[in-house]
Amino acid sequence: MLQDTQNNIIIIGGGPSGLSTALHLAQIAPHLTGRILILEKAHYPRPKLCAGGLTADAEIILQRLGLDVSEVPHVDASAAHLDFAGKGLTISLPKTHALRIIRRNEFDAWLAQKTKDKGIEIREGTTVKNIQPQEDHVDVETDAGTFTAQFVVGADGSNGVTRRCILPNKSIHTARVLEIIAPSQPPPIFQKANGGIEGGREWVAYFDFFPVPLGIAGYTWDFPTQINGEPMRCWGIYDTNVLSYKERPALKEPLAEEMSRHGLDLDQYELKGHPIRWFSPFNQFSVPRVILVGDAAGADGIFGEGISIALGYGLLAAQSIRDAFAHNDFSFRDYRRRILFSPLGQALTIRTGITHILYHLHWAWFQKFFWRVFKPVVVVAAWLFVLNWGKRMK
């Protein structure tokens, strides 16, 4: 049956990118707030595989929306180590944390509530099955019936139905990820939220690129986190797959090796995996009446970072939607240009280039040089070209 709603802006997916799009629309075009409908297939708080690292860029975007992410249970990493085989460079920021780690079930539920507080409708438990753009509207088929929309925002992730429907024959590049949650070793004195961070390894985030010479174009990670207020560690391994022309080695063994160095047995924990579609400046981000945001558009390639990127896409999408109404033109033909020329798009383009260089030069000697000897240049380049794009977003 046809669902007769007054909402003609349908956002498919209630994760950070979809919620950010709605919140930014409410901020820059408040007259459109009552016309937004978000369709989310699960119910909050829903589980989501994600290491949960929030960069300063994510926090800047949230602050500009008037949101205080410290309301969400979190752990602040005082520093981030980027290593090769246990040695490398350390990134820390004066008088603040280098990385804030949240759990996605808690973060997404918090952001969804902030969205509802703005008067925006979220229909949970609604699965989208098909999307059919027409000349003057879009049909959205769900398990609750068919909705019509003036246009659609696809915020349903790397494997989402939106992209499969509108760009069925476009090639995609996806990374491989495995992750587990383990107890913190050793148990630290835990602080939930706003206090200062003290301690050693338990408060530091680690990235180690030792798997690169093994044919895995990525790294292992070890982050502090919390589950229901209990101190834990999130361990994982990320492979961009840029070496996909070679035989793909299994990810489990290097992760098990890294964990065993710290007295943990991977086989004792539940191992989960998921793909991450990463950004390319040659990606297609829209068709008439449909635009993509978040992982559906493409995440960072170097690290697979997605949360801050998703929040940034939301601002760009909201600006494009505002302009589409102003000009009564829902072709979104300028959306790709808006992305590529934005500080976010420029940072993602640079990151994509670095991804291909860094991981194709996969010899151990080069990785040692890059992370150990070349580190002053790496830090400066990262600060100027890879990070801090959030400050430059209008």
Side-chain angles (χ1 to χ4, degrees):
M1 69 178 175
L2 184 68
Q3 297 291 327
D4 184 17
T5 72
Q6 297 302 310
N7 304 284
N8 58 0
I9 303 170
I10 291 183
I11 299 174
I12 300 174
S17 63
L19 297 170
S20 173
T21 301
L23 286 167
H24 279 102
L25 265 177
Q27 185 180 67
I28 68 174
H31 62 286
L32 298 176
T33 300
R35 303 169 72 175
I36 303 171
L37 173 63
I38 300 175
L39 302 178
E40 166 56 44
K41 65 180 180 181
H43 292 270
Y44 300 104
R46 76 275 201 276
K48 175 69 176 178
L49 284 178
C50 180
L54 291 182
T55 64
D57 294 308
E59 296 192 48
I60 288 170
I61 293 173
L62 291 169
Q63 288 168 4
R64 289 177 177 171
L65 286 169
L67 303 179
D68 181 3
V69 74
S70 68
E71 297 172 359
V72 182
H74 63 273
V75 175
D76 290 344
S78 57
H81 282 260
L82 305 176
D83 297 335
F84 179 79
K87 296 180 182 179
L89 61 94
T90 301
I91 295 178
S92 60
L93 302 176
K95 299 181 181 181
T96 188
H97 50 275
L99 200 64
R100 173 161 285 173
I101 297 97
I102 49 84
R103 300 303 301 162
R104 280 289 302 277
N105 60 330
E106 295 170 329
F107 177 79
D108 289 10
W110 169 79
L111 198 60
Q113 186 58 54
K114 297 298 183 182
T115 304
K116 293 176 183 177
D117 292 344
K118 295 290 185 181
I120 296 170
E121 182 180 2
I122 303 178
R123 294 200 184 184
E124 301 174 48
T126 303
T127 300
V128 175
K129 297 181 176 181
N130 192 24
I131 297 160
Q132 295 182 323
Q134 309 295 340
E135 184 176 348
D136 60 353
H137 70 280
V138 182
D139 292 324
V140 181
E141 299 174 12
T142 78
D143 57 359
T146 299
F147 296 82
T148 59
Q150 195 159 8
F151 60 88
V152 162
V153 179
D156 46 350
S158 298
N159 286 329
V161 66
T162 308
R163 194 177 191 285
R164 294 200 306 269
C165 288
I166 66 168
L167 301 171
N169 300 315
K170 292 289 184 178
S171 61
I172 60 174
H173 197 114
T174 56
R176 304 181 293 163
V177 179
L178 295 177
E179 69 175 66
I180 64 103
I181 299 293
S184 182
Q185 297 286 334
I189 299 173
F190 185 68
Q191 299 178 10
K192 278 189 180 180
N194 299 320
I197 298 300
E198 296 180 359
R201 182 179 178 88
E202 62 267 25
W203 299 118
V204 177
Y206 287 85
F207 304 79
D208 199 308
F209 295 81
F210 79 89
V212 178
L214 305 176
I216 295 172
Y219 59 91
T220 61
W221 79 79
D222 167 22
F223 289 178
T225 190
Q226 58 80 39
I227 304 291
N228 299 323
E230 292 297 321
M232 306 291 283
R233 302 290 294 192
C234 179
W235 295 79
I237 185 167
Y238 170 75
D239 179 13
T240 64
N241 269 330
V242 299
L243 301 178
S244 58
Y245 59 90
K246 296 189 172 188
E247 183 178 352
R248 307 310 303 127
L251 296 182
K252 183 178 178 180
E253 286 72 18
L255 179 58
E257 174 187 338
E258 179 65 9
M259 292 180 65
S260 68
R261 292 200 309 113
H262 299 280
L264 294 172
D265 182 357
L266 174 60
D267 292 333
Q268 294 182 3
Y269 306 101
E270 183 180 9
L271 185 65
K272 297 181 179 180
H274 59 98
I276 297 177
R277 179 176 181 271
W278 48 283
F279 173 91
S280 166
F282 303 107
N283 286 351
Q284 186 172 345
F285 304 103
S286 66
V287 298
R289 297 194 178 272
V290 183
I291 60 175
L292 301 176
V293 294
D295 284 4
D300 157 57
I302 304 177
F303 296 101
E305 180 198 355
I307 302 176
S308 70
I309 308 301
L311 296 172
Y313 275 123
L315 171 57
L316 298 175
Q319 292 171 342
S320 292
I321 292 167
R322 176 199 59 195
D323 293 349
F325 275 104
H327 299 98
N328 195 31
D329 179 0
F330 300 97
S331 65
F332 296 108
R333 62 173 59 93
D334 294 330
Y335 182 56
R336 181 173 180 273
R337 177 182 174 84
R338 184 186 295 271
I339 291 175
L340 295 183
F341 283 85
S342 71
L344 170 60
Q346 292 168 0
L348 284 172
T349 299
I350 292 171
R351 292 188 193 192
T352 300
I354 294 173
T355 299
H356 285 284
I357 296 171
L358 176 63
Y359 293 129
H360 275 109
L361 301 177
H362 52 84
W363 307 285
W365 68 264
F366 176 80
Q367 295 296 320
K368 289 179 182 178
F369 174 80
F370 190 86
W371 298 112
R372 298 180 186 179
V373 179
F374 205 53
K375 56 186 180 182
V377 177
V378 173
V379 171
V380 172
W383 193 256
L384 292 176
F385 302 114
V386 178
L387 303 173
N388 292 313
W389 55 265
K391 291 182 179 179
R392 302 190 299 271
M393 293 284 280
K394 296 181 180 180

